[in-house]
Amino acid sequence: MVFTKEEVDYSLYLVTDSTMLPPGTTLCSQVEAGLKNGVTLVQIREKDIETKNFVAEALEVQKICKKYNVPLIINDRIDVAMAIDADGVHVGQDDMPIPMVRKLLGPSKILGWSVGKPSEVETLAKWGPDMVDYIGVGTLFPTSTKKNPKKSPMGPQGAIAILDALEEFKATWCRTVGIGGLHPDNIQRVLCQCVASNGKRSLDGISLVSDIMAAPDACAATKRLRGLLDATRYQFVECELNNTFPTTTSIQNVISQVSNNRPLVQHITNKVHQNFGANVTLALGSSPIMSEIESEVSELARIPNASLLLNTGSVAPIEMLKAAINAYNEVNRPITFDPVGYSATETRLCLNNTLLTYGQFACIKGNCSEILSLAKLNNHKMKGVDSSSGKTNIDTLVRATQIVAFQYRTVAVCTGEFDCVADGTFGGEYKLSSGTEGITAEDLPCVIIEDGPIPIMGDITASGCSLGSTIASFIGGLDSTGKLFDAVVGAVLLYKSAGKLASTRCQGSGSFHVELIDALYQLFHENKPEKWSASLKKF
Ligand SMILES: Cc1nc(C(=O)O)sc1CCOP(=O)(O)O
Ligand SMILES: C=C1C=NC(C(F)(F)F)=NC1=N
């Protein structure tokens, strides 16, 4: 049977490996279990195997694929592919050059290429639509399946760059599958985040090896993967993600919910912020815990209304930070991420990028420099960890906030004299292939919160960090009907209003600290947002 290229379903692409089979299973039994439960494309990949055995194995697998009417791709071995009349071939960058492979295979066979950087996309685009039919985009996450990996994990943000290159070089025919360390805990995040910046395409599927080949129950493993692919929503928090414009009433409801639910706000943060952050959290009727103990993080995440504030000024070891992200993502409890000094040093850039690759955040909050850097609109390094002194115009700040919200599928906050809040969650919706159907970052809902300059805000420690505590409290305190965007906007509006109020009452930076806590306490417990001084307007 010959498959026309248009009808190939790339959604769940199994790549085999006979070196990781659990006891009692065979290569064929694992492949068949996959095909029975939703695998849509199979690739035989054997690194060190005698050709005779490879051919025998390929013929066996081919027979099973025919039974399920699924195409069979051979990795690297074009001779074997031709010998058994397989449906296609997959080659890597160091294998036989694509034009030669195409010449041997003929025009109707499926030809796949491993792609790890935009320049390789430019090359395939130049070859045109008769050459590469699909690309394996990776390595997304660390994996032990591929030996001597030459590529370091690119994460979803790296995949976005590849998708952008396909759009830039107009390789519209080319399909894409993500690969490398894909498992149920990161697949929906990948499907959500890996969208081209023009919104016109997302991954056409995922490709994996060990999640199925090493599974003692390959049927169950495949069913789980199929379920994640067929879902249309990635609900990474328990509250509502659909966006409506926040009103004083909806913000009042948020505060009532926080008051009633008294969220546990776990702070993993820098030493300077700890004490003040805990007091801000208490002023907001919430319960702070400053724990950096890896072994208790799963327990804390399971406490009702738990909420994590991850402020990367913390010196906690990266493994502990990863464990915390995992623990909260696993139970759909919110994480507020504050990439302090995002790109001020190589160390911080690497740490923050790793963490951003590693988890899904309900909110990413930063100052102008941090958000501009995250949005790659700030090509020079940040000056220290304080927000940049240079004035950036509001349009640029809004765009940067929207880009961060879009690319990380989160509610992004950019703080400064004007605070911007943009909602990039799309209600948690995602689609294979068609991305956000053309909706781009600049289409995202964005609000601006202002109350005039409050210069003294910059004269105390942890004022920015404590907005993080406020956001984490508000998100953590939501009921399942509460809306994420309302909570974040409400937190920023309250914090700005309290800052202004405290600045009118204080005698200097020392009393400002105290007045700020009092103002937060009073405005929170009074819960009359219509009286707050800060203004909220739609961008
Ligand atoms: C075959 C392969 N190619 C990769 C690439 O990055 O090109 S990563 C990889 C192995 C993926 O295995 P697992 O799903 O077990 O992580
Ligand atoms: C190295 C590889 C990278 N990607 C893919 C696939 F996902 F199938 F495209 N297969 C490989 N063998």
Side-chain angles (χ1 to χ4, degrees):
M1 115 227 43
V2 175
F3 291 89
T4 66
K5 295 180 181 179
E6 291 62 41
E7 67 188 6
V8 176
D9 177 350
Y10 289 95
S11 61
L12 183 47
Y13 186 176
L14 172 60
V15 177
T16 69
D17 183 322
S18 56
T19 67
M20 59 172 72
L21 299 171
T25 71
T26 65
L27 180 82
C28 288
S29 76
Q30 296 296 72
V31 170
E32 178 128 35
L35 287 167
K36 261 202 305 239
N37 292 284
V39 161
T40 56
L41 188 55
V42 175
Q43 177 191 131
I44 292 202
R45 178 174 179 270
E46 295 285 355
K47 275 304 161 198
D48 6 337
I49 183 172
E50 302 299 333
T51 300
K52 186 176 166 210
N53 300 340
F54 192 16
V55 169
E57 188 181 273
L59 285 169
E60 266 195 280
V61 170
Q62 186 179 45
K63 215 180 298 162
I64 304 170
C65 287
K66 285 189 191 304
K67 211 163 90 181
Y68 293 88
N69 197 26
V70 166
L72 174 63
I73 308 289
I74 307 294
N75 181 53
D76 187 17
R77 296 292 303 268
I78 297 104
D79 55 340
V80 173
M82 293 174 76
I84 70 166
D85 192 27
D87 300 291
V89 161
H90 185 93
V91 291
Q93 291 294 319
D94 302 333
D95 296 330
M96 183 184 284
I98 286 286
M100 283 181 163
V101 180
R102 177 53 79 194
K103 196 164 154 219
L104 288 173
L105 285 185
S108 64
K109 297 293 183 184
I110 303 162
L111 180 46
W113 205 29
S114 303
V115 164
K117 49 189 183 218
S119 59
E120 293 158 355
V121 171
E122 187 173 9
T123 304
L124 80 85
K126 282 203 181 85
W127 284 327
D130 301 334
M131 290 291 175
V132 174
D133 296 309
Y134 77 85
I135 57 175
V137 180
T139 309
L140 290 182
F141 300 103
T143 173
S144 54
T145 301
K146 186 162 192 172
K147 310 296 171 235
N148 62 29
K150 294 198 185 71
K151 304 181 272 190
S152 58
M154 65 169 67
Q157 299 306 311
I160 289 174
I162 304 288
L163 297 175
D164 281 348
L166 286 165
E167 291 301 301
E168 181 190 348
F169 299 115
K170 300 186 179 18
T172 47
W173 72 87
C174 187
R175 308 309 345 135
T176 60
V177 288
I179 188 166
L182 287 173
H183 297 282
D185 67 330
N186 59 26
I187 281 168
Q188 291 193 304
R189 178 154 53 82
V190 163
L191 295 176
C192 250
Q193 291 186 7
C194 298
V195 175
S197 302
N198 68 8
K200 293 210 172 100
R201 76 154 70 219
S202 44
L203 293 173
D204 296 287
I206 55 157
S207 175
L208 39 76
V209 183
S210 56
D211 206 72
I212 293 176
M213 295 310 291
D217 182 346
C219 288
T222 309
K223 277 198 187 93
R224 185 155 181 223
L225 295 166
R226 192 70 252 165
L228 296 173
L229 284 158
D230 295 340
T232 56
R233 267 170 70 74
Y234 170 38
Q235 186 67 34
F236 56 87
V237 283
E238 289 166 322
C239 60
E240 279 299 319
L241 285 173
N242 49 41
N243 178 288
T244 50
F245 188 71
T247 62
T248 48
T249 312
S250 67
I251 290 170
Q252 199 168 49
N253 290 338
V254 167
I255 290 181
S256 306
Q257 290 174 26
V258 176
S259 234
N260 295 336
N261 294 324
R262 192 172 175 76
L264 177 90
V265 184
Q266 178 177 359
H267 286 62
I268 299 177
T269 186
N270 62 70
K271 293 186 171 36
V272 168
H273 170 221
Q274 303 229 357
N275 178 19
F276 192 61
N279 281 307
V280 163
T281 303
L282 288 163
L284 300 171
S286 306
S287 166
I289 176 162
M290 323 320 263
S291 162
E292 300 186 354
I293 304 168
E294 185 169 339
S295 59
E296 72 179 6
V297 75
S298 277
E299 249 177 279
L300 294 177
R302 283 166 171 74
I303 292 173
N305 292 99
S307 179
L308 174 66
L309 171 63
L310 182 47
N311 173 306
T312 55
S314 137
V315 289
I318 188 160
E319 285 319 308
M320 191 274 150
L321 302 179
K322 284 180 173 180
I325 293 171
N326 250 345
Y328 278 77
N329 274 169
E330 205 175 334
V331 291
N332 289 342
R333 290 307 305 167
I335 306 173
T336 300
F337 188 65
D338 186 347
V340 174
Y342 173 67
S343 62
T345 64
E346 279 311 308
T347 308
R348 284 175 185 270
L349 185 63
C350 177
L351 167 70
N352 284 317
N353 280 338
T354 302
L355 295 175
L356 282 161
T357 296
Y358 207 83
Q360 177 62 47
F361 303 108
C363 176
I364 294 176
K365 171 206 84 71
N367 62 31
C368 304
S369 297
E370 288 153 356
I371 296 297
L372 286 167
S373 293
L374 270 168
K376 301 185 185 63
L377 296 182
N378 175 11
N379 37 27
H380 60 275
K381 283 242 172 301
M382 289 169 47
K383 295 181 282 302
V385 296
D386 297 325
S387 55
S388 72
S389 52
K391 282 275 168 247
T392 309
N393 73 41
I394 191 74
D395 287 0
T396 308
L397 291 179
V398 166
R399 250 190 88 50
T401 311
Q402 291 174 314
I403 289 170
V404 172
F406 187 89
Q407 293 191 338
Y408 292 96
R409 203 60 70 233
T410 186
V411 176
V413 177
C414 176
T415 58
E417 183 174 332
F418 302 94
D419 293 337
C420 307
V421 186
D423 181 358
T425 59
F426 284 85
E429 303 281 326
Y430 64 88
K431 289 182 191 65
L432 285 183
S433 305
S434 59
T436 52
E437 285 166 336
I439 295 179
T440 64
E442 57 200 25
D443 306 317
L444 292 184
C446 184
V447 297
I448 293 173
I449 289 156
E450 61 174 304
D451 203 356
I454 315 174
I456 197 159
M457 199 62 128
D459 296 339
I460 61 165
T461 56
S463 61
C465 301
S466 299
L467 170 58
S469 306
T470 307
I471 292 170
S473 284
F474 276 38
I475 302 179
L478 290 178
D479 292 332
S480 56
T481 60
K483 293 189 174 179
L484 180 61
F485 196 53
D486 283 345
V488 178
V489 170
V492 176
L493 203 67
L494 169 68
Y495 201 77
K496 180 78 90 183
S497 304
K500 175 60 90 179
L501 184 57
S503 71
T504 61
R505 294 171 169 173
C506 69
Q507 313 302 318
S509 56
S511 52
F512 178 68
H513 239 138
V514 171
E515 292 295 352
L516 180 55
I517 294 212
D518 277 356
L520 286 166
Y521 181 92
Q522 287 159 15
L523 295 183
F524 179 83
H525 288 87
E526 182 191 50
N527 195 6
K528 288 197 174 9
E530 66 280 7
K531 288 170 64 180
W532 297 350
S533 59
S535 73
L536 167 64
K537 69 175 189 294
K538 206 170 199 161
F539 186 75

